[in-house]
Amino acid sequence: MKKAILFVLFAIIFNIPAVYAKDVIPIRPNTAQVNTIGMYQVGNDITIYKEPDENSQILYRVRWNEDEFFPADIGAERFFVVLLPKKSLALVSVMDYDDDWVEIMYDNSTGKTGWIKKDDPYKFMTWVNFYNTYGKKYGLTLLKSSPDFCYNIKAAPDDKAQTISTINHPQKINLSIIRGNWALVSVLDIDRTPKTGFVRWRSDDGVRYFFPELVEDF
């Protein structure tokens, strides 16, 4: 509560509108993120620079807690790939990195990028590492508007491989292994029949069709 009050006072003093920081989890494929290489876990006070240099132009300063997010002109949904405020989990997409800095996409709608200084080298995860960490533990969900071929379960990780089954109304999609742009999954469909095989979890140019099932009790 004290943090929320401080954010409101900050907003009043600097004339910045307060925005409620709600959960953010992808629900549709995002073509703006095709060139991203992974994600970085950020804290709740993030300074974004134009270049990987603290003397360069500051593009944005983002602050958030369980109740608020600033600045309002971006919004949490456009800034984060994943935000679960109650779990203090905040992930942004990464374009590039070096020993001390990470280039992030700070607007997932327009593709705008900037640099943040690393506070922990172990907070960066490639997309494959992210899926292996969270996808294996919680399963996957098929994003809305994904192409029809994403519902096809293949006998091998190849577009020309035999389609051995189809996803209809999945109750659970368990991830076993990632092989390039393919994922070996076991699907429990609405008819309660388990289906095992390979699905396209992302396109050749990096559009992701499946995402780890980060649910409320995560």
Side-chain angles (χ1 to χ4, degrees), residues 54-68:
E54 289 182 279
N55 294 317
S56 72
Q57 177 187 351
I58 294 177
L59 300 175
Y60 269 99
R61 187 177 182 185
V62 172
R63 295 181 176 182
W64 63 275
N65 63 17
E66 288 186 23
D67 302 298
E68 306 291 343

Side-chain angles (χ1 to χ4, degrees), residues 171-182:
Q171 307 301 298
K172 184 71 174 177
I173 304 176
N174 294 308
L175 172 64
S176 296
I177 192 171
I178 295 284
R179 288 190 182 175
N181 297 326
W182 294 84

Side-chain angles (χ1 to χ4, degrees), residues 60-181:
Y60 269 99
R61 187 177 182 185
V62 172
R63 295 181 176 182
W64 63 275
N65 63 17
E66 288 186 23
D67 302 298
E68 306 291 343
F69 176 89
F70 301 93
D73 61 327
I74 295 182
E77 293 87 353
R78 287 167 60 182
F79 182 77
F80 297 105
V81 178
V82 172
L83 174 63
L84 298 173
K86 292 182 179 178
K87 302 296 182 182
S88 297
L89 181 65
L91 301 171
V92 294
S93 53
V94 174
M95 304 291 295
D96 197 4
Y97 67 96
D98 60 24
D99 290 340
D100 300 311
W101 293 83
V102 178
E103 185 184 15
I104 67 166
M105 184 176 292
Y106 67 86
D107 189 331
N108 290 304
S109 295
T110 63
K112 292 180 180 178
T113 65
W115 292 83
I116 61 173
K117 190 153 188 176
K118 285 182 182 177
D119 57 6
D120 186 335
Y122 297 103
K123 289 184 177 180
F124 168 71
M125 290 183 288
T126 66
W127 283 112
V128 172
N129 286 342
F130 173 71
Y131 276 71
N132 280 334
T133 299
Y134 292 98
K136 285 184 178 179
K137 187 170 184 179
Y138 299 104
L140 301 176
T141 184
L142 182 55
L143 300 180
K144 295 178 180 178
S145 305
S146 292
D148 290 343
F149 61 74
C150 295
Y151 293 81
N152 295 332
I153 300 175
K154 298 283 189 175
D158 190 310
D159 289 318
K160 297 179 180 179
Q162 178 187 1
T163 298
I164 56 177
S165 192
T166 303
I167 299 174
N168 296 309
H169 300 283
Q171 307 301 298
K172 184 71 174 177
I173 304 176
N174 294 308
L175 172 64
S176 296
I177 192 171
I178 295 284
R179 288 190 182 175
N181 297 326

Side-chain angles (χ1 to χ4, degrees), residues 7-21:
F7 267 106
V8 172
L9 289 174
F10 180 86
I12 293 172
I13 293 171
F14 293 98
N15 195 30
I16 300 174
V19 178
Y20 177 63

